[in-house]
Amino acid sequence: MVITILGWLISGLLATVVTLIVTDIQKKRHEKRNYQLQLFKDLIAYRGDIAGGLPTGNFQKAINQIFIAYNKCPEVIKAFEAFRKSTLYRSNNPAKDNDKIIDNLVLLLKAMATEIGVDYSFSNDDLFTKPVLIGSPVVPVFHPIQKQETEERH
């Protein structure tokens, strides 16, 4: 009788511990996936920061978190490193550099989308590089040289 009760207690405790461990593992996986998804959503939502809209800084904030959220995703990390290096090490040809940066950004976003299961097969690369900018204000660009020449004429 004592052995039976002891067996029930041990089996109950063991089942509880296993349940807690499995629940904790599932919770961590769920949180990581949500973090990855939110980061991807932020990058997509704030593409306007690099596409001519008013910069908010949110794209930059999100892009710098990729290695944390996707650190166990080799394809994403490889694409992130290519993108990061293309923004850091530039040549004397800005047009060529920008093309390389955009190409690497597209590869990065595709790798992230694939990792979290977002289907993008219905569109081309414009989906990632050309955000919808409705009613975005035109920001005037001031050129100090032109301003000085105008002031000298008056």
Side-chain angles (χ1 to χ4, degrees), residues 41-51 56-60 62 131:
K41 287 168 36 177
D42 287 347
L43 288 172
I44 295 299
Y46 295 107
R47 290 169 297 162
D49 284 9
I50 61 169
T56 63
N58 290 322
F59 185 88
Q60 183 174 335

Side-chain angles (χ1 to χ4, degrees), residues 23-144:
T23 303
D24 188 52
I25 290 169
Q26 288 177 336
K27 180 182 172 193
K28 286 178 183 176
R29 284 182 184 165
H30 181 73
E31 287 173 355
K32 180 141 186 150
R33 184 181 184 310
N34 282 345
Y35 180 38
Q36 290 173 334
L37 182 60
Q38 186 58 52
L39 190 60
F40 181 75
K41 287 168 36 177
D42 287 347
L43 288 172
I44 295 299
Y46 295 107
R47 290 169 297 162
D49 284 9
I50 61 169
L54 286 175
T56 63
N58 290 322
F59 185 88
Q60 183 174 335
K61 181 180 173 185
I63 203 89
N64 284 303
Q65 295 179 58
I66 289 175
F67 75 96
I68 297 167
Y70 290 87
N71 64 353
K72 296 195 182 199
C73 310
E75 291 301 314
V76 175
I77 294 300
K78 180 180 173 186
F80 173 68
E81 273 302 289
F83 173 77
R84 191 179 70 81
K85 287 177 181 175
S86 66
T87 63
L88 293 175
Y89 308 113
R90 298 182 186 199
S91 68
N92 291 330
N93 186 341
K96 186 177 178 181
D97 290 341
N98 285 339
D99 287 345
K100 186 174 184 172
I101 289 169
I102 295 301
D103 289 345
N104 286 332
L105 176 61
V106 168
L107 292 174
L108 172 60
L109 292 172
K110 284 181 175 181
M112 292 171 70
T114 300
E115 182 65 33
I116 59 175
V118 174
D119 179 25
Y120 56 87
S121 64
F122 60 89
S123 187
N124 60 21
D125 291 351
D126 286 352
L127 177 68
F128 298 109
T129 60
K130 296 193 167 104
V132 177
L133 299 172
I134 299 172
S136 58
V138 176
V139 180
V141 178
F142 298 101
H143 300 282

